[in-house]
Amino acid sequence: RRCPRGLRLPRGARAPSAGLTAFPPCRFLLCASGDFVKVYSVSTEETLRLMGGHADLVTGIQLNPHNHMQLYSSSLDGTIKLWDFMDGIPIKTFTVGSKLLALYTLASAEDSVFVVIPKKGERDTFQLVSVKLTKGAGQDLEVKELSVILAGVDASMKHIAFGRGGEYVVSVKDVNLQVYFFKRRLLNRFSLSTVKTKGGDNRFSCVVCHPTEDCIATGHADGKIRLWRNFHHRKEYTYSTLHWHHDTVMDLAFSMEGTRLLSGGVESVLVQWHNESSWQKDFLPRLGSPIEYISLSSDGALCCTLHTDNRITIINSNLRFSRSIQGLIKSRDVKTGLVVDPRTKALVLNGEPGHLQFYSLQSDQQLFSLDIVQRQYIHQAGLKQSDLVKVAFSAQGTWLATVEESEEINDPELQLKLWFYDEETQSFKLNTRINTPHDNHITDMCFRDMDELEHDSLILVTTGRDCVFKVWVMVEDTDPEAQQSVSWSCDFVGSYHNYQATNCCFSEDGSLLAVSFEETVTVWDSLTWDLKCTFCHPPGNIRNICFGRLTCSKYLVGATDYGFLCCWNLLTCALEWSAHLNVVILQPDPLSEHIAAVSWLSKESSLFVFKPNEPRPIYIQRNLCKEKILLAAFVPRDEPEMISSERYLWLRRSQLFFLTDTQELMTLSTKSLEERLTPSSKQLAVEESLPVTPFSLLLGKHRHQQAQEDKDPGKPVVHNKQEQASPAVKELLHTPAHVLPSASFLCTIFINSLLISKESKSAEEIVDEVEMESEKAEDDSDEEDVTEMEQEDTGHVELLGETTCKLSKSQEKELRKIRKTDYSWISAF
């Protein structure tokens, strides 16, 4: 049910524990993404593999220093997993029993890794411990040996680094630096001044160690970089200072030979320092967003930067941009809600400041970004700037409406923009810009959803805190010098008792418009704009409203901020039913009658799915997640999904996605983890790329002969055990040799899978038996058939609505003829 929370690049003290694999040239990029570990192709930027198995957030990944085809991963679920990432196979799972916040590996530490765990009995106190990986034949092992290395460390992975050859470990926290030497068991502590002078801030933000020399590089909150030397002595240590960044140094990384130091921060610029000199440095600017992590490949050919907007940038060794992997952008505040693009089925929401991102759920990548505000965004705290707040698509995706406003609370600058999709450029072009469409903040807007009459009667409605709702329509532009033939203008302004207008929505056929005014819902005729009826449910303002669809189109559903869910009948103009439920999201499915309601109560989010004509929910999921769900959207599927369970039939045509207050995108899935991780198309591609061995050639030839025999129409088709795929054979053919158990262990299973049971009958025996039974049945007389039929009529038994009867001889004869018919072709479906 979980989708990526955000990409994380692993980083370590020195190679080869870096974000890229150690194969020269580098082909793969490994990163932690939510509960999974992703394997990307450096050349094509596509996701090659998604490795899942952890039950919580993955906090660190490191290559096995003794086998670069294996990967260690740590998680908040308290386990360390060893993976064969080339095949996506978990080799071992080590249970530590405590939350793991960071992971480190050393080539000198055999059979041991280092993790950061919370200190028992103390809050916000962490310690670095050495974990002795248990040896054993099983796949799930429990760790029994833990040794504390450093106490009072920070939970961030960037605040700990291992020195040259693993001789020492460095930890930074606040303004304190401590170095622990393993062989001498010596701990040296160093402190900087806590007094901020001339705008300086000495707090540590990151630390990294030189790969070949005794040198420590630390980043600080004021943008300075300090290079520490001679730290073996407490009083004779020295450090030099590099300074270019104007704000916090987010991360540092040494090159493989140690001649270059890379740094990044909020300026979105990658800085390369040469020979520890402030004068010799190179820049790669305009990377889009602040740099959060830096990682280098084991051969030094590539560098990766992870940005705060959930993007990975791949950079060549000559500091030239190579490629970019863009996931779901983390916006400061998703004000637009979750909207679905009717054309691409992409999820549309706030992206970069002033931009609208189109995010593909299938490929887990951004399709494109549309600049709405078209102004340069300045990264400065406290500066009031314009941002995108509302988005709406027409039914066919031809028109896009956006609202942008400044951050001023009392007197905001508002702009309503209408965009038209240009088929030639395959992008949206600005058609109409309306300054100050309302006198106060716009609270909601929607298009009239009419597929067949979209161009003839397309209507946009906006509601605002200025106590009115406005109807916008297309008009022909009479100006001969105008660039477009149509533009938008206001056609009607409606209000109700000077109450603030909060929500609006059209009915399925577009004939009715519902507008909520604080505690009242008003229903208007969309042709004449006459007020038809009103619904009131005090106390509490209306938080969400939506019309029913298909068979439930006569209902209007609304939720109040006082915790009531109400359903009104439009034909009787009366309250049909109500429920006491604190609904924060009310999302209708565009392809069915179902409506999803998400509630927030007692620090947990729950999901209720119902039809308006029934007050009883058809699906309830308590404690859906611990975070508060802010937004939700139904995304139509390309093809209806085959769902066997009646409990999840409401997910057949659409899939429901959620966005939490921690910017985590989640979804409900009826498929198992293995089915979601290995799609059928990718699974076939993997099987076709398997190396051909003599054993697989021999078995493949045998299967081909069996397939040719099955195609012969003269032979009856009888499926036996040999024709079924043996699990033992699949394991032998599809499992890499270096992770297979011993041959003696597999021999018994393999031989037993090839044996045929004595109780099974051959095809000839089954055919002869059917023929003998049919000949015996033909010898029966018709008189006996009549007698049996008469007895059958009087022998019916009614039991719980079911009727059981005994077949006559003639019916049994017909049944035997049917049994002889070949129905094996059905198995193909």
Side-chain angles (χ1 to χ4, degrees):
R1 68 181 178 90
R2 197 177 293 270
C3 280
R5 312 172 184 235
L7 300 176
R8 284 186 174 84
L9 272 175
R11 65 177 299 278
R14 54 193 299 271
S17 301
L20 295 175
T21 58
F23 300 116
C26 291
R27 296 179 296 161
F28 308 110
L29 172 66
L30 310 175
C31 65
S33 176
D35 303 346
F36 303 96
V37 177
K38 287 185 176 181
V39 182
Y40 286 102
S41 170
V42 174
S43 58
T44 64
E45 308 170 16
E46 66 176 341
T47 305
L48 299 178
R49 187 162 289 107
L50 189 64
M51 299 185 296
H54 284 292
D56 208 332
L57 181 70
V58 177
T59 55
I61 57 175
Q62 297 288 346
L63 289 175
N64 185 353
H66 306 287
N67 187 344
H68 290 167
M69 290 190 296
Q70 295 179 355
L71 177 80
Y72 285 106
S73 65
S74 63
S75 172
L76 292 179
D77 63 3
T79 63
I80 299 173
K81 288 184 179 291
L82 178 63
W83 302 86
D84 178 354
F85 64 85
M86 295 295 294
D87 298 293
I89 300 174
I91 302 173
K92 298 282 186 180
T93 299
F94 304 94
T95 302
V96 181
S98 178
K99 288 185 177 181
L100 308 181
L101 303 169
L103 174 68
Y104 310 89
T105 57
L106 285 179
S108 58
E110 189 175 357
D111 298 331
S112 294
V113 297
F114 298 87
V115 295
V116 175
I117 63 173
K119 189 174 182 180
K120 293 183 178 180
E122 298 185 22
R123 187 178 180 182
D124 297 332
T125 304
F126 308 95
Q127 52 190 1
L128 176 68
V129 299
S130 173
V131 177
K132 182 74 172 177
L133 300 179
T134 308
K135 294 184 178 180
Q139 187 174 5
D140 297 326
L141 302 173
E142 185 176 355
V143 172
K144 299 181 180 179
E145 296 185 28
L146 294 178
S147 303
V148 178
I149 305 299
L150 283 176
V153 301
D154 199 277
S156 174
M157 192 173 186
K158 295 185 289 187
H159 288 190
I160 296 177
F162 287 84
R164 175 175 57 89
E167 295 182 0
Y168 53 88
V169 60
V170 184
S171 170
V172 294
K173 185 178 181 181
D174 295 330
V175 293
N176 300 313
L177 181 147
Q178 52 183 347
V179 184
Y180 178 75
F181 300 90
F182 288 100
K183 291 183 179 179
R184 295 189 292 168
R185 296 184 179 180
L186 175 66
L187 178 63
N188 286 345
R189 291 188 175 93
F190 309 95
S191 298
L192 296 175
S193 174
T194 59
V195 180
K196 298 180 181 180
T197 58
K198 297 181 180 180
D201 190 347
N202 291 329
R203 288 177 302 164
F204 291 96
S205 58
C206 55
V207 62
V208 67
C209 294
H210 197 285
T212 58
E213 301 176 4
D214 289 334
C215 175
I216 301 173
T218 58
H220 298 266
D222 57 2
K224 293 180 181 179
I225 300 173
R226 287 183 170 89
L227 299 174
W228 301 70
R229 293 186 181 275
N230 203 26
F231 45 82
H232 298 80
H233 308 282
R234 293 186 179 181
K235 297 183 178 180
E236 298 178 4
Y237 71 92
T238 61
Y239 65 77
S240 57
T241 303
L242 307 175
H243 196 186
W244 178 86
H245 299 277
H246 80 278
D247 209 325
T248 304
V249 180
M250 302 290 288
D251 201 11
L252 295 168
F254 273 107
S255 62
M256 309 316 300
E257 64 280 359
T259 58
R260 296 174 294 125
L261 177 65
L262 299 175
S263 64
V266 297
E267 303 87 1
S268 307
V269 177
L270 182 64
V271 185
Q272 181 175 262
W273 308 82
H274 296 274
N275 300 323
E276 304 178 13
S277 172
S278 297
W279 301 103
Q280 299 182 12
K281 52 183 176 291
D282 301 320
F283 303 95
L284 180 61
R286 294 181 294 275
L287 291 178
S289 62
I291 299 173
E292 194 171 9
Y293 287 91
I294 303 174
S295 181
L296 286 91
S297 61
S298 57
D299 58 359
L302 295 175
C303 168
C304 276
T305 56
L306 174 66
H307 301 261
T308 55
D309 65 350
N310 200 19
R311 181 175 71 254
I312 296 176
T313 303
I314 302 175
I315 303 166
N316 293 327
S317 58
N318 58 357
L319 219 64
R320 293 293 181 268
F321 174 85
S322 177
R323 288 175 177 82
S324 178
I325 302 173
Q326 178 66 73
L328 182 66
I329 293 179
K330 290 184 176 181
S331 178
R332 296 179 304 164
D333 187 11
V334 184
K335 302 176 183 178
T336 61
L338 294 183
V339 186
V340 180
D341 180 16
R343 286 179 172 271
T344 61
K345 302 296 189 298
L347 210 59
V348 181
L349 64 160
N350 289 100
E352 299 177 23
H355 288 67
L356 197 63
Q357 64 169 320
F358 290 70
Y359 172 72
S360 173
L361 296 164
Q362 289 74 23
S363 62
D364 187 21
Q365 289 187 357
Q366 184 187 105
L367 296 180
F368 62 95
S369 179
L370 183 63
D371 188 359
I372 301 296
V373 177
Q374 298 177 348
R375 294 182 185 176
Q376 181 66 33
Y377 186 84
I378 301 174
H379 294 273
Q380 181 177 344
L383 186 63
K384 304 296 183 182
Q385 304 181 74
S386 296
D387 200 4
L388 183 64
V389 294
K390 298 294 177 184
V391 169
F393 283 93
S394 62
Q396 300 297 326
T398 308
W399 287 93
L400 167 66
T402 62
V403 175
E404 59 191 71
E405 64 180 32
S406 63
E407 296 177 349
E408 295 289 343
I409 299 177
N410 298 326
D411 188 18
E413 294 181 4
L414 299 176
Q415 275 195 355
L416 173 63
K417 293 181 179 179
L418 280 302
W419 308 74
F420 180 75
Y421 187 81
D422 190 354
E423 294 288 349
E424 294 183 0
T425 60
Q426 295 290 301
S427 181
F428 286 94
K429 286 187 175 181
L430 182 61
N431 176 270
T432 304
R433 179 189 288 110
I434 304 171
N435 294 320
T436 318
H438 286 260
D439 295 334
N440 206 329
H441 292 275
I442 294 179
T443 56
D444 198 6
M445 68 176 179
C446 64
F447 278 97
R448 183 161 66 174
D449 194 4
M450 299 178 68
D451 297 346
E452 67 278 3
L453 300 176
E454 183 177 3
H455 294 286
D456 297 334
S457 59
L458 192 61
I459 293 176
L460 175 69
V461 174
T462 58
T463 59
R465 293 183 184 175
D466 55 355
C467 304
V468 299
F469 73 91
K470 293 187 177 182
V471 179
W472 308 86
V473 297
M474 283 191 297
V475 294
E476 294 185 2
D477 202 330
T478 57
D479 187 359
E481 298 181 358
Q483 297 181 355
Q484 58 267 349
S485 58
V486 295
S487 60
W488 291 76
S489 66
C490 183
D491 182 63
F492 178 77
V493 179
S495 62
Y496 183 79
H497 293 292
N498 204 29
Y499 294 150
Q500 287 188 359
T502 53
N503 298 277
C504 63
C505 65
F506 278 98
S507 60
E508 185 178 13
D509 60 357
S511 61
L512 297 177
L513 170 68
V515 181
S516 62
F517 291 89
E518 297 183 8
E519 297 181 353
T520 307
V521 179
T522 60
V523 181
W524 305 73
D525 189 334
S526 63
L527 296 178
T528 62
W529 300 117
D530 293 333
L531 180 61
K532 292 297 183 182
C533 63
T534 60
F535 301 111
C536 187
H537 194 281
N541 295 328
I542 302 296
R543 181 182 287 170
N544 297 295
I545 55 172
C546 67
F547 280 95
R549 292 179 176 270
L550 301 176
T551 61
C552 301
S553 59
K554 64 178 181 179
Y555 297 102
L556 177 64
V557 181
T560 69
D561 55 8
Y562 268 66
F564 284 95
L565 180 64
C566 309
C567 179
W568 293 282
N569 192 322
L570 297 173
L571 300 181
T572 61
C573 295
L575 181 66
E576 190 80 8
W577 55 266
S578 65
H580 189 63
L581 196 64
N582 184 30
V583 176
V584 293
I585 298 173
L586 200 60
Q587 187 65 38
D589 182 7
L591 301 180
S592 69
E593 301 94 340
H594 301 105
I595 298 176
V598 179
S599 68
W600 172 251
L601 188 64
S602 301
K603 296 183 179 181
E604 69 174 39
S605 295
S606 301
L607 173 64
F608 301 86
V609 181
F610 65 94
K611 291 183 180 181
N613 58 352
E614 299 177 5
R616 184 184 299 273
I618 63 173
Y619 177 84
I620 300 176
Q621 179 66 54
R622 301 280 185 181
N623 195 13
L624 186 63
C625 67
K626 296 180 181 179
E627 298 85 5
K628 184 177 182 180
I629 296 177
L630 300 179
L631 304 168
F634 275 102
V635 179
R637 302 182 188 272
D638 294 332
E639 294 182 0
E641 190 175 85
M642 300 300 296
I643 299 177
S644 57
S645 175
E646 294 184 2
R647 190 166 182 254
Y648 298 102
L649 284 178
W650 60 277
L651 286 172
R652 183 173 179 268
R653 303 189 65 183
S654 301
Q655 191 171 2
L656 185 60
F657 288 86
F658 310 98
L659 190 70
T660 66
D661 54 357
T662 58
Q663 297 276 319
E664 186 180 49
L665 185 63
M666 307 173 67
T667 185
L668 287 173
S669 178
T670 59
K671 294 182 179 180
S672 62
L673 180 63
E674 291 75 11
E675 291 175 322
R676 286 186 284 119
L677 295 184
T678 309
S680 57
S681 58
K682 290 189 176 182
Q683 190 173 8
L684 291 175
V686 170
E687 291 180 356
E688 290 176 358
S689 63
L690 288 174
V692 180
T693 62
F695 182 65
S696 64
L697 284 175
L698 178 63
L699 191 63
K701 182 179 179 180
H702 176 65
R703 289 177 175 173
H704 180 71
Q705 291 176 353
Q706 286 187 343
Q708 294 295 330
E709 293 174 358
D710 293 343
K711 293 180 180 179
D712 189 356
K715 294 184 178 180
V717 179
V718 180
H719 297 280
N720 54 33
K721 188 176 182 180
Q722 281 183 320
E723 293 179 347
Q724 299 175 357
S726 170
V729 175
K730 282 187 175 181
E731 290 296 327
L732 284 173
L733 293 179
H734 294 182
T735 305
H738 61 279
V739 296
L740 276 175
S742 62
S744 59
F745 178 79
L746 292 175
C747 183
T748 305
I749 301 176
F750 176 66
I751 294 299
N752 289 336
S753 67
L754 300 179
L755 296 178
I756 303 174
S757 176
K758 292 182 179 181
E759 298 178 356
S760 60
K761 298 181 180 180
S762 63
E764 292 79 5
E765 292 174 342
I766 296 176
V767 173
D768 292 341
E769 182 178 340
V770 172
E771 292 292 339
M772 291 175 62
E773 290 180 357
S774 61
E775 291 175 358
K776 182 179 179 181
E778 290 176 355
D779 295 337
D780 296 335
S781 62
D782 294 337
E783 295 179 358
E784 294 177 348
D785 293 344
V786 175
T787 306
E788 290 292 333
M789 286 294 294
E790 292 175 353
Q791 294 177 356
E792 178 189 342
D793 291 339
T794 59
H796 289 178
V797 178
E798 298 287 341
L799 180 61
L800 296 179
E802 297 182 359
T803 304
T804 58
C805 61
K806 183 179 179 182
L807 296 178
S808 66
K809 293 293 183 64
S810 60
Q811 291 174 331
E812 290 181 354
K813 185 190 300 183
E814 292 294 326
L815 186 59
R816 292 191 187 101
K817 292 180 181 179
I818 295 174
R819 287 172 180 165
K820 294 172 64 177
T821 308
D822 183 13
Y823 293 101
S824 61
W825 58 272
I826 300 179
S827 62
F829 297 90

